[in-house]
Amino acid sequence: MKKSYLILIAFLTFSNWIFSQANDCTDAILLCGNTPVGIEPQGVGFDEFSLPGNFAPPCYSFNNQTVWFRVEIDQGGTLGFDVIPDNGTDDYDFAVYGPVSDCANLDMSIRCSSTNPLAAGVSANTGLNATEADLSEGPGPNGNGYLKELDTQAGETYYILLDRAHGASGFQINLNGTAVLPQSPDFNTPQNLETCDDDGTEDGFARFNLLSQASAITRNFPNSRVSFHETLNDANLNQNSIPATTYTNTKVNSQRIYARVSSVIGPCTEITLFDLIVNPLPSYNNPNDLYICNATGIVNYDLIALNEGIINTSSNLVISYYRSAIEALMNQNPIQDINVPLSGTTVHFFVRNTATNCFIFDEFDISYQNSPALVQPAQLIYCRDDNMMLTFDLSNIEEEALDGLNPEDFDTYFYETDADRNNDANRLPLLWDTEAISKTVFLRSINSITGCFADESFEVQVVESPDYTFEEIQYLCIDAPNPKILSIDSGFDFYEWSTGESGSTLNEIEITQTGTYSVTAYNSFGCSNTKTTEVRSSEAATITGIEITGLNYPRNEATITVTGTGAYEFAIDGGPYTTNTTFTGLSRGYHTIAVKDTQGCATTISEPFLILDYPRYFTPNGDGYHDTWQLIGLDEYPGAVIRVYNRYGKLLKELGANSNGWDGTYLGTLLKPDDYWFELILLEGERVTGHFSLIN
């Protein structure tokens, strides 16, 4: 027998459809030949088992989502079927009645299956086959989903009741066995109807001639009739047919149509399908206007070079070029290049999709244009200011280079090298962060309409800022008679001082007050450098005293004390300066101490002061050196007396404060070399003793 494939499809989103349901026995779907069935099970319909001649299936209540099928036997034999859930898991139960004459006399079911496949651990497929022997199974885990097939006789009618106990998907039902069912009507398998979306609105919708499609399906089969439906459900239930005339698809680009083929001499129908396909017109890029730049004569233009840009790389599109619209429409005299007259020309082209045979005509113009005339921009000046990186602002260069041309008509790009410009690589941003060195920048201005371009370049010069010395701390001598001069190097173009003074030669100013001062020096490029100094006060020292320790050689010393706001250094008798205020190891006699301000204020020199001490020896030999023994400066101690003794205490000489000293004689006779003692008696009563040597 022929196998019948029945497909149950649940269209849950279209609950507003109005149609009769196959959940009533009287509306049972007749299974014929290879008829596919699409139905939306919805409820249980009429309760056939309320009739006195009908008995409900004993294995299950069958009150969820039911579908009835009718099978009429032309030639007897075995009859089986497979119910296959679309998702492989839904639980379908079934019962079989027959042979019967009508839905009012179903009597008792001859097969009943309500096995739950999940509980039984078996496949969700269910039905009748040749290997099973049982006639009923279920509910729950009982059974394996299959029962014994039917043995049928010619002329018998059977009803199959299906119920989806659990789940929401559809199913397929495949009949099998040796019994022969009524034959389906004959028809020609329809071809898809295709058209191009060339009605002026490319929206994926078009008009189709279904009358010619109906003729094609029934050609050579006079007993066949056809109706068209938008859904398989409508086709199975023979409802909501589409008029077989002109029809506009309701789904964009592609819509499936179901053709229900019936016979005027039999009860069976066949459902076939085809697609309404609205093919889009070829997608292409019209260059619109092309330009030849800076030509000196008539140019031959290669049109084939435009192919890739117009139709991209689509393998289904072909393009042809023509000199006129008539030649394009007639597909005559295609060209591959054209000599463009100086006045310009229009090129017509034809693009066809070889897969859909949809085509379109269009055109573009070719004319001559000149590149923009640019001027070289002035160099940009940037001051380094000790930066390793700088930001070059190129945002105003385009307008300067175009020299009056509208920048809106041009695209200008900047490059670091000429090679980058030629390859249009590594375009620079308008705010270019780069190393702080002078550079040449290359630019290209392209007319955004014609594509003609011109090149220029300009310099970016990085200039060093003025470099000069300006001490961070300086001093003003508050006791100086003249103002202090603040100065920096000369030779710069301009100077600005924080005092408000400025000028091209004003590299120094006079000040009379302490405080913070700054100066900004400018070079000829306008680069500047500002430095600041703090002017502090200082002054010459005032000597307040010198404390002397004498008569103690070599430990004679003098300590000086001073006042003043400066920092001071000290030197004795023209010696080197030191920060020490005490000088030791001083020789007898008069000394002076100089006090120097380290910040350059005046140096103060002390009055001569006396280190009173005696010589440790003398040589009265008449050679003019050390011929007498005396205390230098003793005359500053009026009334002082010196007495000289020999080692035995004999008084040899008494000297006054103004004496020229002792010549080593006693009573006119030069004494022999020896050690001698002295006694110094000051007026205040202070007494100092010591000894010295007489050496020949």
Side-chain angles (χ1 to χ4, degrees), residues 319-612:
I319 184 171
S320 302
Y321 302 94
Y322 305 88
R323 298 179 187 275
S324 69
I326 296 297
E327 289 179 325
L329 290 172
M330 301 297 294
N331 191 21
Q332 294 179 345
N333 306 318
I335 59 176
Q336 296 186 343
D337 58 60
I338 188 171
N339 290 325
V340 181
L342 296 179
S343 59
T345 189
T346 298
V347 175
H348 303 266
F349 64 93
F350 169 86
V351 178
R352 181 173 64 89
N353 188 316
T354 58
T356 65
N357 211 33
C358 294
F359 59 86
I360 193 167
F361 295 95
D362 212 332
E363 64 185 40
F364 58 85
D365 294 327
I366 304 177
S367 61
Y368 294 93
Q369 292 291 333
N370 292 321
S371 297
L374 303 181
V375 299
Q376 184 178 32
Q379 70 174 354
L380 297 179
I381 303 296
Y382 284 88
C383 304
R384 186 189 304 278
D385 294 335
D386 296 326
N387 293 310
M388 298 300 295
M389 301 289 292
L390 287 174
T391 298
F392 295 161
D393 185 355
L394 311 179
S395 56
N396 295 322
I397 297 299
E398 179 185 35
E399 184 175 358
E400 182 180 355
L402 291 175
D403 192 31
L405 298 176
N406 187 356
E408 297 294 328
D409 296 335
F410 295 88
D411 297 315
T412 300
Y413 305 105
F414 300 91
Y415 308 86
E416 192 169 4
T417 67
D418 187 40
D420 281 350
R421 178 173 62 186
N422 292 334
N423 296 320
D424 191 24
N426 305 314
R427 293 177 180 174
L428 301 178
L430 294 181
L431 296 177
W432 178 24
D433 294 325
T434 184
E435 56 186 330
I437 60 174
S438 297
K439 296 175 180 287
T440 299
V441 178
F442 301 85
L443 69 87
R444 172 167 292 176
S445 289
I446 306 170
N447 188 302
S448 56
I449 298 176
T450 68
C452 297
F453 65 86
D455 294 338
E456 256 302 346
S457 64
F458 60 95
E459 301 299 321
V460 180
Q461 186 173 357
V462 178
V463 179
E464 298 290 347
S465 298
D467 186 21
Y468 57 91
T469 300
F470 197 39
E471 294 180 0
E472 294 182 358
I473 299 176
Q474 300 188 54
Y475 289 87
L476 171 67
C477 298
I478 58 177
D479 55 349
N482 298 317
K484 179 176 178 59
I485 295 177
L486 297 180
S487 66
I488 63 170
D489 297 342
S490 61
F492 298 117
D493 274 46
F494 199 75
Y495 303 87
E496 288 182 344
W497 294 87
S498 58
T499 60
E501 301 168 271
S502 62
S504 58
T505 60
L506 195 64
N507 66 309
E508 62 181 31
I509 61 172
E510 295 180 348
I511 63 170
T512 58
Q513 294 181 342
T514 59
T516 300
Y517 295 85
S518 62
V519 60
T520 301
Y522 297 84
N523 59 21
S524 59
F525 297 100
C527 298
S528 64
N529 187 8
T530 299
K531 293 188 177 183
T532 300
T533 186
E534 179 185 354
V535 177
R536 301 174 180 175
S537 64
S538 191
E539 61 182 329
T542 299
I543 299 173
T544 59
I546 300 176
E547 183 179 348
I548 300 169
T549 300
L551 296 171
N552 195 26
Y553 185 84
R555 289 182 292 277
N556 296 328
E557 63 181 29
T559 299
I560 188 170
T561 56
V562 298
T563 60
T565 60
Y568 302 110
E569 292 179 340
F570 308 88
I572 192 167
D573 299 333
Y577 282 94
T578 178
T579 57
N580 293 328
T581 58
T582 297
F583 297 91
T584 61
L586 300 182
S587 63
R588 61 192 178 92
Y590 289 93
H591 302 271
T592 59
I593 296 177
V595 184
K596 179 179 70 173
D597 175 43
T598 59
Q599 308 308 328
C601 294
T603 298
T604 303
I605 300 176
S606 70
E607 295 293 331
F609 61 89
L610 173 65
I611 296 296
L612 184 63

